[in-house]
Amino acid sequence: MTFAKEIHTFHSGQPQPKTSSSDTFQSVDPSTAEPVATIYTSTRQQIDDAVASAHAAFPAWSQTPAPKRAAILLRAAALLRERNDALALTETVDTGKAWSETSTVDVVTGADVLEYYAHMVAGGMPGQNTKLRPDAFVLTTHEPLGVCAGIGAWNYPLQIALWKSAPCLAAGNCMVYKPSEVTPLHANTLAQIYVEAGVPPGVFNVIYGDGPSAGVPLVSHPGVAKVSFTGQVSTGSKVAAAAAKDMKGITMELGGKSPVVVLPDADVNEAADIAMAANFFSTGQVCTNGTRVFVPDTMLPAVEQALLKRCREGIRMGLPTKETTNFGPVVSAAHMDKVKSYIDHGKNVDRAQVLYDGAAEAQSKKPTPNGYWVPPVIFTNCNDKMRIVREEIFGPVMCLLPYKVRGRTQEQWLAEVVDRANDTPMGLAAGVVSSDLSLAQDVIRQLHAGITWINTWGESPAEMPVGGWKMSGVGLENGEEGIRAYMRTKSTLVQLGKGAAAGLFAKL
């Protein structure tokens, strides 16, 4: 593992224990409910100092030639890959996610994005030269913003920190990063890796605390030019509103209630595999999860049986550090209570039909007595008005929603399922399962979501821009669009020769 037992604010290239106050909180191992580290909440002065450190570093870093910045960031990516296992173990202890996932996904996908943007800027970020007339042209250039704030979520701590800091630093900006107070163990380690790779002191800084104590003063700080936030919709709305007061740029990656649309020609096993991946990866704690699975009435019994088999034979709930485990605890006691309350509501208020309840079946035995265990649940024959169908649960809860195909034309059933899939204020992700790629692409075109998949789920490579529609967010991360969010455009009209303005006003 890679974290210290006591973690302090990090700025000016090093931790700052001398200025810490006595206000602390703990990081807890979700599999045991035992504390693993003490984190010192950043004081207002430390937050000011972190922003000041970033401002002091910005002139030199922004003027560092892009190939040199790229080389430094590539060294950081190499260090991340070299230390993959130790970093992944920290993520597992902090989040409760299975080692089989963190060791193959979390660090890797963060390093991928760092390499992607380093290579992108290595050759420069070309602007445009537009000829207006023989003696005049317009130059368009892209310049860094200054000091940016990054606020991470608790489900993919290191990956999210890299998805925010990689384009930010590659573009020539500096960052003050606040990890979630629920999973903070990665942040100082990443900061130290950046310094070891050659990132100058002050370019990447870390503050700690919850929203009111650290998030609010960071977002409202006059020295911050942009805010990138990942989290739930309600919090994101507040962050965006606070940033808007000072006309700060924002990127908001928020929640979803995403649909998986299984078309009548889909293979049953393919549909079941995708539904499992869209719901139970990371114990259901993924913002893009496809928790509303629309299934043709003609296929529902077969899909149900395929899902039952996979839940009973394929979900291995256990200690997250064991290599055979693929389903760990949820992240915290508070979140466990929240998810369980939704499950109870689904059973007793929505009166949804329980197809599978892991607490009574294959996942009935808790791996530890005090861990935050929530076995998987599948509700079937759900309708669109149920609370478990309408609201983001962020846990291992799948809802099967049948749509009527028997006795109807394709035009009829397709219009219905598309309308139902779009009937949500959120629009983060969506997917289609079909053997007919032409039809699948037509359905994808009609779905109101920013991230979509056909015959797969969840993969999000560095080259793929990701961002939500509607209440699921503003702006994009990754891809070419991702780095544009950390740059501002400057247009310059150049007049060749003299006398262009001579007598201009007198002619009016």
Side-chain angles (χ1 to χ4, degrees):
M1 288 182 285
T2 59
F3 59 92
K5 291 298 183 181
E6 292 190 348
I7 298 174
H8 298 266
T9 299
F10 189 106
H11 68 73
S12 307
Q14 60 188 355
Q16 301 291 331
K18 292 182 179 179
T19 57
S20 292
S21 71
S22 59
D23 187 10
T24 64
F25 59 97
Q26 292 182 317
S27 175
V28 175
D29 182 342
S31 68
T32 62
E34 294 294 326
V36 294
T38 298
I39 298 88
Y40 287 78
T41 300
S42 298
T43 66
R44 293 297 178 98
Q45 185 60 55
Q46 285 180 319
I47 294 171
D48 287 343
D49 291 344
V51 175
S53 173
H55 270 282
F58 176 70
W61 180 245
S62 62
Q63 294 302 311
T64 299
K68 184 176 180 180
R69 284 203 309 268
I72 292 171
L73 297 180
L74 288 172
R75 283 198 293 272
L79 291 172
L80 288 165
R81 296 197 189 282
E82 288 173 12
R83 299 167 191 177
N84 179 84
D85 289 0
L87 293 166
L89 184 57
T90 294
E91 294 293 271
T92 290
V93 169
D94 208 15
T95 65
K97 293 198 295 183
W99 160 258
S100 61
E101 181 182 335
T102 61
S103 61
T104 57
V105 175
D106 293 46
V107 185
V108 173
T109 54
D112 286 347
V113 170
L114 191 56
E115 288 179 344
Y116 173 75
Y117 284 120
H119 287 302
M120 179 181 289
V121 302
M125 295 294 290
Q128 291 180 314
N129 184 321
T130 304
K131 183 177 180 180
L132 294 178
R133 48 188 180 268
D135 62 348
F137 59 92
V138 172
L139 291 176
T140 303
T141 56
H142 305 288
E143 301 182 2
L145 300 170
V147 176
C148 304
I151 300 178
W154 48 253
N155 57 335
Y156 281 85
L158 181 58
Q159 182 206 69
I160 290 172
L162 284 160
W163 280 20
K164 296 187 185 304
S165 62
C168 176
L169 272 56
N173 299 286
C174 300
M175 175 165 275
V176 178
Y177 180 72
K178 189 194 89 65
S180 166
E181 67 275 16
V182 180
T183 53
L185 298 183
H186 65 289
N188 271 24
T189 301
L190 176 60
Q192 289 162 344
I193 285 175
Y194 274 140
V195 170
E196 184 178 346
V199 172
V203 171
F204 184 78
N205 310 274
V206 184
I207 65 169
Y208 293 97
D210 60 14
S213 65
V216 170
L218 177 61
V219 171
S220 61
H221 199 288
V224 168
K226 174 191 169 59
V227 179
S228 178
F229 171 86
T230 299
Q232 65 184 16
V233 174
S234 58
T235 306
S237 297
K238 295 175 183 177
V239 171
K245 291 180 181 179
D246 297 317
M247 295 298 178
K248 295 172 181 173
I250 58 171
T251 300
M252 298 281 126
E253 200 281 290
L254 309 179
K257 194 66 179 178
S258 303
V260 180
V261 179
V262 179
L263 298 183
D265 68 332
D267 178 82
V268 168
N269 288 316
E270 180 91 348
D273 287 338
I274 290 171
M276 293 290 290
N279 280 271
F280 300 135
F281 205 76
S282 291
T283 316
Q285 300 167 115
V286 185
C287 55
T288 54
N289 266 2
T291 53
R292 296 184 298 139
V293 183
F294 291 90
V295 183
D297 57 354
T298 53
M299 293 178 63
L300 185 61
V303 170
E304 288 177 339
Q305 289 305 308
L307 290 171
L308 284 171
K309 177 178 175 63
R310 284 158 175 76
C311 286
R312 288 168 178 158
E313 300 176 5
I315 296 180
R316 300 181 298 276
M317 187 170 82
L319 289 174
T321 51
K322 290 181 62 176
E323 291 189 1
T324 55
T325 296
N326 65 3
F327 190 96
V330 296
V331 74
S332 66
H335 193 58
M336 175 181 68
D337 292 342
K338 174 187 173 182
V339 176
K340 286 184 174 181
S341 72
Y342 271 106
I343 294 171
D344 182 68
H345 191 280
K347 293 176 179 178
N348 300 311
V349 181
D350 288 333
R351 298 289 183 181
Q353 179 184 338
V354 178
L355 175 68
Y356 183 81
D357 185 351
E361 293 209 32
Q363 296 80 33
S364 60
K365 185 178 179 181
K366 290 183 178 182
T368 61
N370 298 320
Y372 309 134
W373 306 103
V374 181
V377 173
I378 300 177
F379 292 104
T380 191
N381 279 306
C382 298
N383 66 63
D384 300 332
K385 294 182 179 180
M386 292 178 176
R387 185 182 175 201
I388 55 172
V389 174
R390 304 294 305 175
E391 299 180 11
E392 184 179 37
I393 299 173
F394 218 70
V397 182
M398 181 193 304
C399 293
L400 299 180
L401 296 104
Y403 63 95
K404 184 174 173 55
V405 171
R406 190 179 288 109
R408 305 178 79 191
T409 66
Q410 177 175 304
E411 184 179 5
Q412 290 172 325
W413 59 254
L414 186 55
E416 177 199 323
V417 73
V418 167
D419 284 346
R420 292 174 63 192
N422 288 333
D423 184 21
T424 170
M426 292 172 275
L428 186 58
V432 173
V433 187
S434 175
S435 298
D436 184 341
L437 287 181
S438 178
L439 178 59
Q441 289 184 20
D442 183 56
V443 176
I444 284 290
R445 179 183 58 80
Q446 299 177 64
L447 295 178
H448 301 165
I451 309 165
T452 56
W453 294 281
I454 295 175
N455 294 333
T456 187
W457 196 274
E459 184 179 2
S460 185
E463 299 84 355
M464 181 178 179
V466 292
W469 291 8
K470 301 190 283 188
M471 291 298 293
S472 288
V474 176
L476 294 161
E477 292 187 316
N478 296 350
E480 290 187 16
E481 291 86 345
I483 199 168
R484 296 294 186 197
Y486 289 93
M487 307 181 86
R488 51 190 169 184
T489 301
K490 177 176 287 184
S491 297
T492 306
L493 194 155
V494 179
Q495 177 66 50
L496 302 177
K498 298 180 179 180
L504 181 63
F505 183 74
K507 294 176 183 178
L508 296 179

